[in-house]
Amino acid sequence: MRTRAGSDGPLVLITGGTGTTGRAVASRLAAAGVRVRTASRAAPAARDGVEHARFDWADAATHDEALRGADRVYLMAPAMVEDPSALMLPFVERALASGARRLVLLSASAVAEGSPGLGLVHRALRERAPEWTVLRPSWFMQNFIDPRHPHAAAIAGRGELTTATGGGRVGFVDADDIAEVAARALLDDTPHNTSHVITGPEALSYDDVAAIVSRIAGRAIRHVRAGEEDARAYLVRAGIPSLYAAFLVSLDLAIRDGAEDRVTDVVQRVTGRPPRAFGDLALAHAHVFRGEPSARGGPAA
């Protein structure tokens, strides 16, 4: 991965710059001496080497300033929007018209090219961008440790995980591994010009996850195998909008039927190191599952 510091190097725009992967990508690029601009509605804490632009997917008036001078763009969809393509496709066209050459999209393993929503954005990048990559990660391991996520909150509160996945398995992936692949896609000399299905090293059921967390937490964590309607109602009670909750449950049902039971070599192949296992990440965050304060005094995730 070549880096070029200074005013003559690329400027990388990170949409969703305060998000889980956005923060990690921005930190990697800044540490490598690359000019970085994060873009989000809320301004992040100041970081050396990182500028910020106010950005709202739904407010086109914020788009030109965010894109000013950007050669490369990391695209992260607006949160909890069932079909983000209506907001993202015009922005992609604006980015290309403003001179951006390399676009990297964070999509998902469950979203095929051309399917509604992010699948349409995927297709647009392949057809329109001079240089492009679509990242299609499996489910984030951080969902079990980030207190904002219903799974992490339920583990901490009731000692439960509720899904409609049954015994289906998922190649859960560490967000840091996704961020490392994203950084390579943004900065490698040769554009990837492909989509990457990104997984961890093993496929686990939610029963498996509950068993691993139980061992580390020293208390029983159980996976509640809910039906479709109960799973949707559970997500709505957790604060997820009804339509988006129904979409998430449809993904659960696909997991139940085996759609995510796979692992890939993308992390090893792109970064040169193996992906992190869930057990290792869970052990590193044992204080979260045990209800203890972080040893470093900062956020748990």
Side-chain angles (χ1 to χ4, degrees), residues 263-300:
V263 295
T264 71
D265 67 348
V266 166
V267 174
Q268 177 74 57
R269 180 161 43 83
V270 173
T271 73
R273 60 169 176 76
R276 194 178 197 182
F278 176 71
D280 293 337
L281 179 136
L283 189 60
H285 292 83
H287 59 278
V288 175
F289 301 124
R290 295 170 184 164
E292 301 167 355
S294 169
R296 289 174 291 190

Side-chain angles (χ1 to χ4, degrees), residues 180-252:
E180 186 64 28
V181 174
R184 304 289 176 129
L186 286 162
L187 294 182
D188 279 351
D189 291 347
T190 302
H192 292 195
N193 291 347
T194 192
S195 65
H196 293 307
V197 175
I198 309 172
T199 75
E202 57 189 341
L204 301 171
S205 68
Y206 280 83
D207 293 334
D208 295 330
V209 168
I212 291 169
V213 174
S214 294
R215 289 196 298 272
I216 291 171
R219 60 191 176 94
I221 307 296
R222 72 187 187 104
H223 172 218
V224 177
R225 296 190 178 196
E228 182 175 353
E229 288 305 313
D230 286 344
R232 186 192 61 77
Y234 162 77
L235 291 173
V236 170
R237 288 196 301 272
I240 306 296
S242 181
L243 285 176
Y244 195 69
F247 169 69
L248 292 177
V249 171
S250 73
L251 299 181
D252 273 7

Side-chain angles (χ1 to χ4, degrees), residues 16-94:
T18 58
T20 300
T21 62
R23 292 194 311 270
V25 173
S27 294
R28 280 166 168 77
L29 301 188
V34 175
R35 294 189 299 153
V36 178
R37 178 184 298 144
T38 58
S40 59
R41 285 180 293 182
R47 286 178 286 178
D48 290 341
V50 178
E51 60 181 271
H52 178 74
R54 181 183 172 278
F55 178 81
D56 187 335
W57 279 109
D59 183 2
T62 66
H63 296 180
D64 285 340
E65 181 59 25
L67 285 166
R68 178 178 50 81
D71 175 69
R72 305 176 187 199
V73 182
Y74 179 70
L75 298 164
M76 191 176 78
M80 289 191 287
V81 174
E82 185 182 8
D83 181 1
S85 63
L87 296 173
M88 297 184 76
L89 288 174
F91 182 79
V92 167
E93 292 300 324
R94 183 170 292 193

Side-chain angles (χ1 to χ4, degrees), residues 143-144 146 149-156 160-163 206 234-235:
N143 292 349
F144 303 108
D146 185 337
H149 195 280
H151 288 334
I155 289 172
E160 292 180 349
L161 286 168
T162 299
T163 79
Y206 280 83
Y234 162 77
L235 291 173

Side-chain angles (χ1 to χ4, degrees), residues 93-141:
E93 292 300 324
R94 183 170 292 193
L96 294 172
S98 73
R101 287 191 53 80
R102 184 175 297 191
L103 304 182
V104 175
L105 169 68
L106 179 66
S107 183
S109 58
V111 180
E113 178 184 348
S115 61
L118 283 173
L120 296 178
V121 185
H122 178 159
R123 185 169 66 191
L125 262 60
R126 181 180 60 79
E127 293 178 346
R128 299 278 292 116
E131 302 174 357
W132 64 281
T133 304
V134 175
L135 310 176
R136 298 177 58 206
S138 185
W139 272 242
F140 287 24
M141 294 178 182

Side-chain angles (χ1 to χ4, degrees), residues 2-13:
R2 183 178 68 185
T3 61
R4 294 178 290 167
S7 60
D8 60 340
L11 171 63
V12 183
L13 173 66

